[in-house]
Structure formats: C-alpha cells, structure tokens
Amino acid sequence: MALPLPQIEVAKNPIPAPPGPRPPEPTTSTMPRTSAVTWRSVLLCLALTPTSIYWQMQMESVRNSTHPTALSLPFHVVFILLCITGLNRLWARFFGERNALTQGELLLTYSVLAISSAIA
C-alpha cells in the first residue's frame, strides 16, 4: 500500500525586492582587468625566463647541488615569484593599485617560469 505524498506549496516570490532605485550596472571603465595575458606580463616572462633557467642550470649541472625540477614546486620559481610579489606590493603602494600586476598576471608568470624550468 503506497502512502500519499504531502502537497507542498512553493512561494512565488519569498523575498521582495528592496525599495528604491537599482544600482548602476558596471561599465568597462569601472570593471577590473580580467585578462592575464597582457604586454607587461609577456615582457616580464620573457625577461625572467633566461634568469630562471640560468639559476636552474647552475644548481643542477655546474654545482650539482640540488635539483629543483625534481620537486613538485620548483623552489627557484617560487622564490622569483615571491620577489616579484614583494616588488609589486611596493609598486602598488607608491604608484597605485591600478598600475600593479594583477593576480592573473602573476599566475601567468609563475606558469611560464615553471613550465620553462621543466622543459630546460
């Protein structure tokens, strides 16, 4: 014997809209940059890739001390990114947040340096 299912009433609009005018829609001038691939991030990657590879070759081949690409996080790339982040904070403090590197640009820089270290 099957039991009958209870009927549930669903409210049409449980939360009324707040009174007053709606906030304006964001325009392109007020929206933050969303693209990580900018000219300055590409130039930063091109400038730091030889430095990262030189540091890696010095550690692995010349000095035969540590092998940063054997670890899950290449520590020389993390250190370079730490230095860039610190300089970026100083840049943002003195020249404004708008001119600082975004999170996407820093992520792109880390990705390019980590991949180039794995390939080298």
Side-chain angles (χ1 to χ4, degrees):
M1 177 171 173
L3 295 174
L5 295 175
Q7 297 294 325
I8 300 174
E9 291 186 31
V10 178
K12 299 270 187 210
N13 191 3
I15 302 173
R22 299 180 80 181
E25 295 292 324
T27 60
T28 56
S29 62
T30 60
M31 293 177 61
R33 293 183 308 234
T34 56
S35 175
V37 182
T38 60
W39 283 108
R40 62 185 186 170
S41 64
V42 170
L43 291 175
L44 183 66
C45 291
L46 288 175
L48 290 175
T49 300
T51 306
S52 174
I53 292 174
Y54 177 75
W55 187 2
Q56 175 186 348
M57 289 298 126
Q58 283 291 320
M59 286 189 290
E60 288 185 354
S61 300
V62 177
R63 300 178 195 272
N64 199 17
S65 60
T66 56
H67 299 277
T69 54
L71 302 172
S72 62
L73 284 173
F75 59 85
H76 66 291
V77 176
V78 173
F79 181 76
I80 290 172
L81 189 69
L82 177 71
C83 293
I84 292 171
T85 305
L87 292 172
N88 191 39
R89 296 286 292 183
L90 289 173
W91 184 270
R93 178 176 289 170
F94 292 114
F95 298 107
E97 286 284 331
R98 186 174 175 93
N99 297 326
L101 294 171
T102 62
Q103 183 179 5
E105 291 170 329
L106 292 171
L107 181 62
L108 177 74
T109 304
Y110 172 77
S111 301
V112 167
L113 291 178
I115 291 171
S116 66
S117 294
I119 292 173

